Amino acid sequence: MELSDDDVLHILKLIDESKFDYFQLEVGDLKITVSKGDPIPIAATAQPLSISTAPAPTAAAKPAAATAAPAAKAAAIPAGHLAVTAPILGTFYVAPEPGAPPFVTVGQQVTEDTTCGLIEVMKVFNSVRAGVKGTIVEVVAQNGSFVEFGQTLIIVKP
């Protein structure tokens, strides 16, 4: 079973209109994770719902990829600092458009509502809010890089 871009957008619209706070769907090699509001810690989530019409051809390669992903998410967060994490997976951008100044820079004061970046998923841009009041210490994620749900993007000193 293949999902088209329109199918995925329809699923995202249904989730957005639902009462669910968190949803994860796997169809073959496609994995969709949606979270409304605060990110849900990965260890606290239930087992993912898996729908498969045929065995995945790369099933042997999946465990190695699954163990490599958390290592990429890990960022050393100094004691007393907080991380601004990716609320969804997608492409992270530090500025509203190419050539524009970044939303935030190291040393800048931010509030809970300060936009720190954008994450693009299928040509839809979602703003990433700081969620904490403090000073930007480090922008961990690179502009234009693919980020995963829960990955540290920015480190803030409250």
Side-chain angles (χ1 to χ4, degrees):
M1 175 177 163
E2 292 289 324
L3 290 178
S4 69
D5 290 349
D6 288 337
D7 293 336
V8 173
L9 288 175
H10 185 71
I11 290 169
L12 291 174
K13 182 180 178 201
L14 290 172
I15 299 301
D16 187 48
E17 294 170 353
S18 75
K19 294 181 182 181
F20 290 109
D21 290 331
Y22 179 82
F23 179 80
Q24 186 171 7
L25 170 71
E26 289 186 38
V27 178
D29 290 335
L30 175 69
K31 180 177 179 181
I32 299 173
T33 303
V34 180
S35 175
K36 295 180 189 177
D38 292 333
I40 298 171
I42 293 175
T45 62
Q47 291 295 322
L49 172 63
S50 185
I51 301 172
S52 180
T53 56
T58 58
K62 277 189 175 182
T67 56
K73 285 191 219 178
I77 301 179
H81 292 67
L82 299 172
V84 176
T85 59
I88 58 175
L89 64 98
T91 304
F92 177 71
Y93 296 103
V94 297
E97 59 187 38
F103 288 107
V104 294
T105 57
V106 173
Q108 178 179 339
Q109 296 290 319
V110 295
T111 64
E112 292 86 352
D113 294 327
T114 302
T115 299
C116 295
L118 297 174
I119 296 181
E120 175 197 5
V121 180
M122 298 178 62
K123 304 296 181 197
V124 176
F125 291 85
N126 303 279
S127 61
V128 177
R129 306 263 185 226
V132 65
K133 184 177 179 180
T135 305
I136 301 291
V137 175
E138 180 182 357
V139 179
V140 178
Q142 298 295 316
N143 186 48
S145 65
F146 181 79
V147 295
E148 295 182 16
F149 170 76
Q151 180 176 337
T152 298
L153 305 174
I154 297 170
I155 298 176
V156 177
K157 181 178 181 182

